[in-house]
Amino acid sequence: MNRIVAAVVAGVIAMAPMAASAQDYGRYSDAAAQTELGRIAIVDMAVMAPMRDGIGLATNVYRPKDAKGPLPTILWKTPYNELAYSPRTTRNALTWVSRGYAFVVQNERGRYFSEGEYEILGYPQTDGYDSLTWIAAQPWSNGKVGTLGCSSSAEWQLALAAQNHPAHAAMVPQAAAAGIGKVGRFQEQGNWYTGGVPRNLFFIWLYGVDNPQRAQIPSGLDQEERARIVRYNDLDAKKPEVKWSSQIRHLPVSEMLADLGEPPATFETLIARTPADPAWREGGLYHDDMGWGVPSLWFNSWYDVSIGPNMELFNHARSTTQDAEAAANQYVVVGPNNHCAFAALGPNFRSGDRDLGDASFDSDAMVHAWFDRWLKGERGAFSESTPHVQYFNMGENRWRSAAQWPPAEVKTVRMYLRSSGGANSLNGDGRLSLEAPPAGEAPDRYRYDPMNPVQTIGGGDCCNGGLVLAGAYDQRQIEARNDVLVYTSDVLTQPMQVTGFVDAVLKVSSSAPDTDYAVKLVDVAPDGTAYILGDTIIRARYRNGFDRPAMLTPGEVATVQPTPMTISNTFQPGHRIRVEVTSSNFPKFVRNLNTGGANETENSGVVADNAVHHAGDQASYIELPVLK
């Protein structure tokens, strides 16, 4: 194997410090980090790891020069441009090499310098498996590999974990929900849907990532020449800028990218599927009938794109019967940060408009200890007394721990949506009550116009071209609309900690054959600020199941139950609990055009007169997991 050591950027910097611990590397300039990596590491760039079908995946291998024996390995697999010089990759390599590991970064199939055709998640059950086999067979490997990464570098790990590869000793998936097809109550097919409603973020993400006309370097080059090309030609095509705030409104949805001149590709394939389409089983998504075989340290976030499936999968992995050791060694950390922003946790932490105090958590130290335990065999590195669940409770603004999720002490508290028929807007008479409404209480009615949808402000999201800022933003601007039903509790006199899965059950009717129902849970501070905690949505046609779509009978009452919201928040004395109900949350979710047709291929909609019922046996309510 030819060795191409990371280049020194001549004349740019003074000599880097002669030695540094891993935690010091963040203070290096980019050029100094490159220099230090060249000093302590052997760097093999653009090695082609062979897959079973003969395709080669471009791989950088970083390992310590002074290694005395076989090395444990950290594998970071990515669809992004991280083989050419990247400050983040360099610092990651420095950290792991300085700790006595080999650090391997690999481009997914069809991305940048790897051969083959790209597919979302990068074929984890074949390419992922073969990559582990290749690493374990290297003369520098001790046969133990840990997979690490956030977002796209985490999502592929899930289906791989079901393979139980003998070299896959441990994993750290961070913000991994887009790798989940179906798990328990959640069938989001890689976060493409929530409650059967497509999410707009992937349309924007695919515009930037999916490139069927990508440039490729010639096959048959030797490694030294390929490495030279990697260093000097990043193959990172820059597409034209798009004004997504207007483009996201394009109808029909199915032509949103074609309207930009994009050739047919992944987007067109996925937007044509329903939530129950069998084709979702053909890719790299993890489904809960696939088993689990790897000890895992999960990192999730309250304001990420989809916290619910992440926590459901954590519970599922703990219940696996495939591998008792793996089931017993599942740990999760849940912070108040946005997508992949674990390094942002610290003192004086803010989420959106909300001050959450000291959210400090040393995630790096925990990851290091985890891999030392499983890849180096240092059993004392990761304490056996570590709680299986560590989560940040908003409102209390402190970290808590539990043996399970939700904590065993949680009790369900049901609160009913009530009004005198005028819950419209913040100025209406909607209330959230522990007392069930009597028969005869008037329903709440509103008009939903898909051409004037309710705007998304905050909540959980990511990767959307700046359309939505995730976090705990004030909802009063939304609550001022007459097409938003607002239900607010009395002022609390005692703290109420809500920790777990939050369920909403609505009795609804509509003038349309199909429409959506969107729900939010909000913490209202004494000054009136309404901090969003979580949101969910359901397409009415899927109320009986994604495999049993059924249109509404206009005017007839039906039951809809969105997938749960997932939170931990203490509503403090002086605060109030609030639930919002409406029929859109845009641009987070695709608008329902209310026709009952193939929504994503239609170019016009109709107005729906919608209602929420809450009288007698038609009660609508929310169920809160309250920690006593």
Side-chain angles (χ1 to χ4, degrees):
M1 183 183 294
N2 294 320
R3 294 173 179 172
I4 309 297
V5 179
V8 176
V9 181
V12 175
I13 58 167
M15 179 68 69
M18 291 302 294
S21 61
Q23 61 267 28
D24 293 327
Y25 294 134
R27 296 199 292 267
Y28 277 53
S29 69
D30 291 350
Q34 277 191 296
T35 301
E36 180 65 4
L37 185 62
R39 189 185 70 80
I40 71 170
I42 298 168
V43 182
D44 299 306
M45 293 185 70
V47 180
M48 298 303 282
M51 301 295 103
R52 64 189 67 182
D53 62 354
I55 290 294
L57 301 189
T59 307
N60 285 2
V61 179
Y62 308 84
R63 49 201 173 93
K65 287 181 177 178
D66 58 357
K68 299 298 191 293
L71 299 166
T73 302
I74 303 299
L75 172 59
W76 183 290
K77 196 175 181 75
T78 176
Y80 299 121
N81 188 28
E82 298 185 48
L83 262 68
Y85 172 69
S86 159
R88 180 176 74 170
T89 301
T90 297
R91 285 171 173 77
N92 278 336
L94 280 169
T95 294
W96 290 108
V97 167
S98 71
R99 297 184 63 83
Y101 288 84
F103 182 64
V104 174
V105 182
Q106 185 178 81
N107 275 157
E108 290 180 0
R109 176 180 292 241
R111 294 295 291 162
Y112 297 101
F113 306 98
S114 288
E115 299 171 339
E117 297 296 323
Y118 171 64
E119 181 180 299
I120 288 179
L121 300 177
Y123 298 90
Q125 297 171 76
T126 52
D127 287 0
Y129 194 96
D130 294 351
S131 296
L132 294 181
T133 300
W134 177 79
I135 291 170
Q138 298 307 302
W140 42 260
S141 170
N142 74 350
K144 293 183 181 297
V145 182
T147 53
L148 170 65
C150 196
S151 194
S152 293
S153 292
E155 294 148 9
W156 74 278
Q157 298 180 46
L158 309 183
L160 179 64
Q163 307 299 303
N164 204 12
H165 191 290
H168 199 184
M171 57 191 283
V172 179
Q174 302 169 316
I180 302 170
K182 178 189 178 300
V183 58
R185 296 161 290 181
F186 298 86
Q187 188 170 327
E188 298 192 353
Q189 307 297 15
N191 294 160
W192 191 264
Y193 299 99
T194 296
V197 183
R199 303 184 70 119
N200 277 317
L201 75 90
F202 279 105
F203 312 165
I204 299 169
W205 185 81
L206 282 169
Y207 175 78
V209 173
D210 200 18
N211 187 1
Q213 297 178 330
R214 74 186 184 100
Q216 293 179 275
I217 60 178
S219 60
L221 300 177
D222 62 31
Q223 188 222 331
E224 185 168 357
E225 182 65 20
R226 185 175 289 270
R228 187 175 294 113
I229 292 173
V230 168
R231 288 170 56 196
Y232 297 116
N233 302 271
D234 65 11
L235 301 185
D236 195 8
K238 300 296 189 295
K239 292 187 176 180
E241 293 292 325
V242 176
K243 186 179 179 182
W244 287 109
S245 58
S246 58
Q247 186 64 22
I248 206 68
R249 303 182 71 93
H250 180 84
L251 294 176
V253 171
S254 61
E255 297 177 9
M256 186 181 298
L257 298 192
D259 183 65
L260 297 172
E262 287 289 284
T266 304
F267 169 74
E268 284 74 17
T269 298
L270 300 187
I271 198 64
R273 296 179 184 173
T274 66
D277 193 317
W280 291 111
R281 299 293 307 237
E282 297 172 5
L285 291 171
Y286 178 86
H287 302 273
D288 59 12
D289 59 358
M290 293 170 59
W292 195 269
V294 184
S296 311
L297 173 60
W298 306 81
F299 284 85
N300 298 325
S301 312
W302 298 132
Y303 288 103
D304 203 356
V305 58
S306 192
I307 179 63
N310 277 326
M311 298 306 291
E312 193 93 327
L313 181 53
F314 165 73
N315 284 340
H316 173 72
R318 293 192 76 184
S319 68
T320 181
T321 57
Q322 177 185 7
D323 187 321
E325 183 179 56
N329 287 281
Q330 302 293 319
Y331 296 83
V332 66
V333 176
V334 192
N337 50 290
N338 292 358
H339 183 72
C340 288
F342 301 102
L345 294 173
N348 305 313
F349 183 83
R350 291 186 65 85
S351 175
D353 296 320
R354 191 177 190 185
D355 182 359
L356 293 175
D358 188 354
S360 300
F361 192 97
D362 194 345
S363 56
D364 287 343
M366 193 174 192
V367 172
H368 298 158
W370 177 254
F371 283 134
D372 287 350
R373 159 69 179 89
W374 292 103
L375 275 62
K376 291 183 176 181
E378 299 175 2
R379 297 192 64 88
F382 190 89
S383 173
E384 293 184 2
S385 65
T386 302
H388 283 273
V389 180
Q390 296 180 73
Y391 63 96
F392 188 86
N393 176 261
M394 299 177 289
E396 276 190 335
N397 296 349
R398 72 179 182 92
W399 288 93
R400 282 180 165 262
S401 62
Q404 66 184 59
W405 180 262
E409 302 82 5
V410 160
K411 304 297 181 185
T412 299
V413 173
R414 180 176 292 184
M415 300 191 77
Y416 294 90
L417 279 55
R418 301 191 59 181
S419 77
S420 298
N424 308 75
S425 87
L426 183 61
N427 300 313
D429 62 7
R431 61 192 188 279
L432 199 60
S433 173
L434 294 170
E435 297 180 1
E441 194 164 277
D444 294 304
R445 303 183 184 278
Y446 62 97
R447 305 201 82 190
Y448 161 50
D449 180 354
M451 298 302 105
N452 183 27
V454 174
Q455 179 187 357
T456 304
I457 297 180
D461 211 349
C462 81
C463 322
N464 54 39
L467 280 181
V468 176
L469 298 178
Y473 286 96
D474 188 354
Q475 300 300 297
R476 284 177 291 182
Q477 176 182 339
I478 297 305
E479 294 165 353
R481 293 178 56 131
N482 204 51
D483 55 356
V484 177
L485 305 181
V486 179
Y487 302 91
T488 308
S489 74
D490 292 336
V491 173
L492 299 179
T493 59
Q494 299 292 328
M496 179 185 286
Q497 186 190 144
V498 176
T499 295
F501 297 108
V502 178
D503 288 295
V505 177
L506 303 178
K507 300 290 185 176
V508 300
S509 63
S510 177
S511 63
D514 187 42
T515 193
D516 294 345
Y517 291 93
V519 180
K520 290 180 188 172
L521 183 63
V522 175
D523 185 340
V524 183
D527 66 359
T529 307
Y531 300 113
I532 184 172
L533 299 172
D535 55 33
T536 185
I537 196 169
I538 186 168
R539 186 143 289 176
R541 70 175 69 182
Y542 296 123
R543 65 194 181 280
N544 300 322
F546 297 119
D547 57 345
R548 293 184 295 154
M551 295 301 134
L552 295 168
T553 299
E556 187 174 294
V557 177
T559 302
V560 297
Q561 185 169 359
T563 50
M565 294 174 280
T566 310
I567 68 163
S568 179
N569 182 76
T570 296
F571 295 88
Q572 293 289 3
H575 287 234
R576 292 172 291 164
I577 305 168
R578 177 171 291 163
V579 170
E580 298 174 20
V581 180
T582 186
S583 288
S584 54
N585 186 349
F586 181 83
K588 178 186 277 191
F589 300 111
V590 169
R591 297 163 289 172
N592 195 323
L593 300 179
N594 299 329
T595 68
N599 193 77
E600 281 69 56
T601 63
E602 297 179 323
N603 57 20
S604 62
V606 298
V607 173
D609 291 309
N610 293 341
V612 173
H613 301 260
H614 44 75
D617 60 1
Q618 293 181 347
S620 296
Y621 55 85
I622 191 163
E623 291 188 326
L624 303 174
V626 176
L627 191 59
K628 299 294 187 181

